[in-house]
Amino acid sequence: MALQYDMFEERSAAKAPAAEMSEADMVRYLQATGQYRILTKLQPRQVVEAPDPAYPLRGIILDTETTGLNACKHEIIEIGIIAFSFDQRGTIGDVTAVYGGLQEPTSPIPADITRLTGLTDAMVAGQAIDLVEVEALIEPAGLVVAHNAGFDRPFCEIFSPVFANTALSMIVSRSWKCSPRKLTEHRLPNCTGPASARVSASLPSTVRSTSRSIGKRGDTDGRTAAKGH
């Protein structure tokens, strides 16, 4: 009798999972099926007190929340900053500082902004961003990376003139396209060559973060941690 072959027969070299498997065994099993791609969480980077001197340049990752879209009439109500070191090749070194702060605006937060950001008037009441601390992080930075620099930059420059002296670059993302050439056009003298482009390429595309998590925990979370060397 001729054999009949099932063209749609499941073919898998993986063995059936045991009743109890370790996490590592489960990952290996799923990968062996060829049906899954396993992603691992980006681990937090702790702030270091003595940065590696091999990474002499300084940059920051910045995110803001505002009361609207117009920098001339709306205000920053939250800011989050991660300071990091990098070298001339654009390789990330250490996380050197973090800051997150809230700011009470001069007018109530619109309802649509509350829905978007989760920030309420009660949360920002009496709050003020520490400009001294923010400016201390910005001053040495030759590169400022923002997920949406075209939005964040005008708000930041109105908030503090220290931002006008920095190179605010854009992360490559689906919403904002930016070539390495465009990035290097915005660099400062101490960020020579295409280093700024490589820094931005090295950082996760999901830099946009909840600044409250930065300020309260004192370290970076899985979405905002700079990629290491």
Side-chain angles (χ1 to χ4, degrees), residues 187-226:
R187 70 179 185 271
L188 289 186
N190 68 336
C191 188
T192 57
S196 59
R198 283 193 287 267
V199 165
S200 293
S202 299
L203 298 172
S205 60
T206 53
V207 159
R208 188 161 185 83
S209 64
T210 303
S211 305
R212 292 177 291 284
S213 66
I214 299 175
K216 289 184 177 179
R217 283 206 301 271
D219 60 8
T220 55
D221 64 17
R223 292 173 296 167
T224 57

Side-chain angles (χ1 to χ4, degrees), residues 122-178:
M123 292 171 65
V124 301
Q127 299 292 320
I129 292 170
D130 188 336
L131 265 178
V132 174
E133 188 169 352
V134 168
E135 291 177 355
L137 296 178
I138 302 300
E139 284 286 1
L143 177 68
V144 179
V145 181
H147 185 65
N148 188 340
F151 176 84
D152 291 313
R153 182 171 189 168
F155 276 96
C156 290
E157 291 183 345
I158 290 172
F159 188 70
S160 171
V162 71
F163 285 99
N165 300 320
T166 59
L168 192 58
S169 301
M170 290 177 289
I171 268 193
V172 178
S173 69
R174 290 183 180 178
S175 299
W176 288 81
K177 305 298 181 183
C178 186

Side-chain angles (χ1 to χ4, degrees), residues 24 57 68 79 90 111 120 160 168 177 186:
L57 303 180
I79 193 167
T120 65
S160 171
L168 192 58
K177 305 298 181 183
H186 292 286

Side-chain angles (χ1 to χ4, degrees), residues 32-81:
T33 67
Q35 302 299 312
Y36 302 92
R37 178 183 297 174
I38 309 299
L39 301 180
T40 57
K41 181 180 179 180
L42 188 61
Q43 294 302 313
R45 298 286 302 279
Q46 298 299 316
V47 176
V48 301
E49 295 183 1
D52 188 336
Y55 303 89
L57 303 180
R58 296 294 181 265
I60 67 165
I61 305 170
L62 174 145
D63 185 36
T64 66
E65 300 293 356
T66 68
T67 57
L69 302 177
N70 189 332
C72 294
K73 65 178 183 179
H74 296 126
E75 304 170 67
I76 289 177
I77 52 177
E78 183 177 28
I79 193 167
I81 296 172

